[in-house]
Amino acid sequence: MSKHIETHFAVTQLHARYASAVDANDWDAWVDCFIDDCVYRIQPRENFERGFPLATLSFESKGMLRDRAYGIKETLFHDPYYQRHIVGAPLIQSVTDECIKCEANYVVIRTKLSELSTVYNAGRYIDEIVHTEAGLKLKSRQCIYDSEMIPNSIIYPI
Amino acid sequence: MVQTFDVRLCNETHGDYAMNAIETAAAVKLSAKESSLNWYENGTSRIPFQVYTDAQLHQRELEAFFYKSHWCYIGLEAEIPNVGDFKRTAVGERSVVMSRDADGKVNVFENVCAHRGMQFCRERHGNRKEFVCPYHQWSYTLKGDLQGVPFRRGVKQDGKVNGGMPADFKTEDNGLNKLRVATRGGVVFATFDHAMESFEDFVGETVLAYFDRMFDGRTLKILGYNRQRIPGNWKLMQENIKDPYHPGLLHTWFVTFGLWRADNKSELKMDKHFRHAAMISTRGNAQAANEVSKVSSFKETMKLHDARFLDIVPEAWWNGPTAVMTTLFPSVILQQQVNSVSTRHIQPRGNGEFDFVWTHFGYEDDTPEMTERRLRQSNLFGPAGFVSADDGEVIELSQKGFEQKPSHRALAELGGRDVGDTDHMVTETLIRGMYAYWRKVMNE
Ligand SMILES: [Fe+2]
């Protein structure tokens, strides 16, 4: 049992660390939540369930995440906004020496300057997490979102 | 010096173009007397903000552009490959259903039950033998014909027939509202207007060539959808893709990583009414795929950490150009940006908002590597794309500017005040052309 509690605790800490990074606009810390050979996807539930491969964003390496971080910082014009992630309890599906597979629901609230806070994106994370010397890291994170319409754009990682 | 609005062609070699251009100009001048809007020098180089903010003008636009005289985008045949497959979508602000019937034909009908008007189809896609309105179980064939009406002949009780439809009720007269359908190259268009010209005549020879280039008869393979709701007037998206002024300035990602260069060969072409257009450009060093991430006209040192975003491999069907953006007025944008191809469907929601639906696809003969490449490059486009996310943002903020000052106007005078095809991108001529057409149709 204590092993399970340990795993659960470590996963929730990773989730919390991730949320803290993306809500603080700390894109380097976001990139650091992943191992080098990683996958990050933001995909509409529709595509996911119908077996369409298209994602809203689909990255296949830490290099691609770095390129996104650069894009956010240097090239993408956007209306400034805050985001706030609320992540539910992880459902741990399998634990092996190599990999923890789990899911967690999330809601992202967006607040634009001088505006009210609104629900921006709702969905679930499907994660594959691995042990590294620096603690747990994401090998794969898929953000599968229910939100049928993106309120104009997604700039920051979910 | 007073300059009069004169629609002239930059390319004088197209005689018939020039003729039509002059006709359009004349029509604009005639109607302008009655225009409720203030058009600078009776032209279209300055666009009154009211065309974006006025709810009544918007209603008239829906009638004039989406519900009459125009073929509107419905979808791709590959979305409904089998008998009974359907997809729910929209023409303007009206919900419609596209279905494939037992003969393999594509039908489009309005999503309003003939009985009590209920929007009966709620699923967005699926497969059906028939369509049934849940309210009173009226059922329709895949062609939209009424086939079943419960209690049509009444109910027998104690030897007497109660109720039933009147004797002269005919199912033939009570089908769903069917749209006229045109398919070409696997793309489906429809119109409520059964009297209008053919799809081919509607698009016109010049732009049709670019349509056929992308939809050359190969079966399409759907890669998936992206959907965004943009708080701005729907025309702004047409204008965005008729505006080659902004990409090199707004989309710094393009410039940073060498996808947009001032020395790219480019052309702008329109149909004779100036409503549709193609922006055609050819990157200087298209064939050197792995050169791309090294080329930079902006920051010499900028390199992608992962160059696969721009792993561009030229395809035979491009026939030269590396990017062709086609605007079919009013409802759709056809995108070829290197290996990424998509349709972008405009679905208005009042004058201040529209839904923008992206359908990315590939071709039946794509290798797995090409499919992967198209998907990787799709990271550049869509609601989160490296170079498309900012388009939605600037449209939203433009609309905000219009709303606060509706009596003002926007300028579109780069490259002059006239309208015509060009062999460069330093012009807003396509926007002026679109409004020349708009004025003519709207009689404003
Ligand atoms: Fe753009």
Side-chain angles (χ1 to χ4, degrees), chain B residues 246-418:
Chain B
H246 84 278
L249 302 166
L250 172 65
H251 306 308
T252 38
W253 199 91
F254 257 150
V255 182
T256 305
F257 299 106
L259 215 63
W260 182 272
R261 292 164 53 110
D263 58 354
N264 282 354
K265 209 175 89 193
S266 42
E267 282 178 293
L268 303 178
K269 293 185 185 175
M270 284 173 275
D271 73 315
K272 65 182 180 184
H273 303 287
F274 308 143
R275 53 190 174 190
H276 316 306
M279 295 201 302
I280 307 131
S281 58
T282 310
R283 224 158 31 84
N285 54 345
Q287 53 280 38
N290 44 18
E291 281 289 293
V292 175
S293 58
K294 293 171 196 150
V295 175
S296 169
S297 54
F298 190 59
K299 288 178 183 164
E300 216 52 61
T301 52
M302 266 327 294
K303 258 195 205 179
L304 286 166
H305 288 98
D306 194 325
R308 287 179 296 177
F309 282 132
L310 289 176
D311 167 30
I312 296 158
V313 171
E315 300 174 62
W317 64 270
W318 294 0
N319 221 349
T322 48
V324 178
M325 296 297 299
T326 308
T327 41
L328 293 186
F329 195 81
S331 67
V332 72
I333 291 150
L334 311 174
Q335 168 208 326
Q336 180 239 329
Q337 287 275 1
V338 283
N339 299 115
S340 176
V341 278
S342 75
T343 62
R344 309 178 182 178
H345 188 185
I346 297 169
Q347 302 174 2
R349 293 171 55 87
N351 68 285
E353 185 176 271
F354 64 98
D355 288 346
F356 201 41
V357 180
W358 303 62
T359 307
H360 282 258
F361 61 90
Y363 301 93
E364 58 183 344
D365 55 352
D366 284 350
T367 61
E369 292 75 24
M370 182 54 83
T371 300
E372 207 160 72
R373 186 172 295 118
R374 295 198 202 286
L375 289 167
R376 280 199 191 108
Q377 289 175 26
S378 74
N379 282 300
L380 276 58
F381 308 103
F386 280 104
V387 295
S388 288
D390 9 32
D391 286 323
E393 293 288 296
V394 297
I395 285 174
E396 176 172 354
L397 303 179
S398 299
Q399 186 72 22
K400 279 185 186 293
F402 305 154
E403 299 285 354
Q404 76 178 49
K405 208 180 173 186
S407 61
H408 198 52
R409 83 288 180 277
L411 270 185
E413 303 197 336
L414 191 75
R417 297 201 175 97
D418 58 356

Side-chain angles (χ1 to χ4, degrees), chain A residues 56 60-61 79 148 152-153, chain B residues 124 226 228 306 376 393:
Chain A
T56 306
E60 305 153 79
S61 70
D79 205 18
E148 276 282 307
N152 204 346
S153 63
Chain B
R124 196 165 43 213
N226 268 312
Q228 64 189 128
D306 194 325
R376 280 199 191 108
E393 293 288 296

Side-chain angles (χ1 to χ4, degrees), chain A residues 44 46-47 50 52-61 63-64 66-68 70 75-79 112 145 148-155, chain B residues 124-125 222-231 252-253 299 302 304-306 309 355 360 375-376 378-379 383-386 390 392-393 396-397:
Chain A
E46 177 186 15
N47 290 352
R50 294 178 69 181
F52 291 131
L54 185 78
T56 306
L57 283 177
S58 177
F59 302 148
E60 305 153 79
S61 70
M64 287 188 173
R66 287 209 179 91
D67 287 329
R68 183 66 182 184
Y70 178 82
T75 75
L76 271 163
F77 168 75
H78 63 280
D79 205 18
K112 286 193 164 197
Y145 61 90
E148 276 282 307
M149 285 292 161
I150 291 171
N152 204 346
S153 63
I154 291 179
I155 308 293
Chain B
R124 196 165 43 213
H125 74 278
I222 307 297
L223 297 179
Y225 305 97
N226 268 312
R227 299 170 194 275
Q228 64 189 128
R229 180 160 294 172
I230 301 180
T252 38
W253 199 91
K299 288 178 183 164
M302 266 327 294
L304 286 166
H305 288 98
D306 194 325
F309 282 132
D355 288 346
H360 282 258
L375 289 167
R376 280 199 191 108
S378 74
N379 282 300
F386 280 104
D390 9 32
E393 293 288 296
E396 176 172 354
L397 303 179

